Every structure is written in C-alpha cells, then in structure tokens.
Amino acid sequence: MFTEQKRGFDWFSLIVGILFILAGLAAIKHPDRTLHFLAILVGIAFILRGIYELWFRQFVNRILNQNSGWIIFAAILDIILGIIVLVYPGWGILYIAILFAIWFIVDSIIEIKAAKLFKEFHRGYATWLVVLGVISIIMGVVLLFSPLLSAMTIVWLVSVMLIVFGIMHVVQAF
C-alpha cells in the first residue's frame, strides 16, 4: 500500500551537521569569543528592533491615526543600546548574563503559578513543579548575583545545542 522511497545520501545535511558540531566544540573551547559573538548579535538585534519600531510607528500613525511618541522613544532607546553593546561588548555580555538570570527566575515563577492548574489533575505532578520551580528560582538568584556563572551557563547551553543539532543533521544525512 505504502511505497517506500529510497533516498540517497544527503551531503548537505552531513556538511551542515559537521559545521554545527565544530561550532559547538569551538564555543566550548573559546567561551570568551562565544560571549563576544553573542553580544554582537544582541547589539545587532537591538538596532534592528529599533529600526522595526520606527517603521511600526509609521504604520500606527497611518492606519490608527494615533500618537506614538512612546514608540519613537523605545526605538531610539533600542538603537542606542544596540550601539552601546556593539561598541562595548563587555557591557553586552554582562547584560546578556543578567537578562538570562532574570529570565530564569521569571520562568520559574510562571512554572510555580502553572502548578496550580495541574493540582486539579495530578497532585504529584503539581508538587514536583513547585519543588523544581523553587530550586530554579534559587538557581536564578545565584546566576543573577554571579554574572560570570550565568555567562558560562549560556556558553554551555549554546555549545550543547549546536552539538546536538549537528548530530541530528549527521544522522539525517544517512
């Protein structure tokens, strides 16, 4: 009924996979360069977001006929932050590390709040969500007060993600 099509070897996936693996290993070996690169990406993202907000302001004015001074303020702030991060990547690295820690804490608080929803269905699961959420908040606070540890955690996560994606592409090649 179902015909199985035999596909050939995928060289592109193999090459991309190997490149991802090499990038992951390089990220582990050179965490300082990895953080510097991530700071540059964040700086570029801020600038692009600012440009987008300026474009969006024109859209709001034209379509909704609304005053959008706050959008201009946010856009200019984003562009200035982007330039600062590009000129001072060390500041960008610190920003990324602190933002990561705050994100970790906020996400953990949301998990604890979500545990209330699961309480009705599975009390044990809800309890584990609360316990793991509290542990995660503690870890987030530690990361918040130790930006170096936070930055190294980011490098480790990026490295592992690149290696895993690389392995997935290599396997896909066959």
Side-chain angles (χ1 to χ4, degrees), residues 7-10 13-14 165-174:
R7 71 178 182 99
F9 186 77
D10 187 356
S13 288
L14 179 66
F165 284 155
I167 292 170
M168 287 170 35
H169 278 283
V170 168
V171 168
Q172 181 181 346
F174 294 96

Side-chain angles (χ1 to χ4, degrees), residues 42-54 70-86 91 95:
V42 166
I44 292 169
F46 269 127
I47 292 170
L48 292 176
R49 179 182 163 113
I51 292 168
Y52 169 76
E53 287 169 338
L54 289 174
W70 59 273
I71 296 176
I72 293 174
F73 174 75
I76 291 171
L77 184 63
D78 281 343
I79 291 171
I80 290 171
L81 284 173
I83 291 169
I84 290 171
V85 170
L86 289 177
W91 187 84
Y95 174 80

Side-chain angles (χ1 to χ4, degrees), residues 2 17 19 26-27 39 101 109 123 125 136 141 160 164 168 171:
F2 292 102
L19 289 175
I109 291 169
R123 196 173 215 22
Y125 182 69
S136 295
V141 170
V160 169
V164 167
M168 287 170 35
V171 168

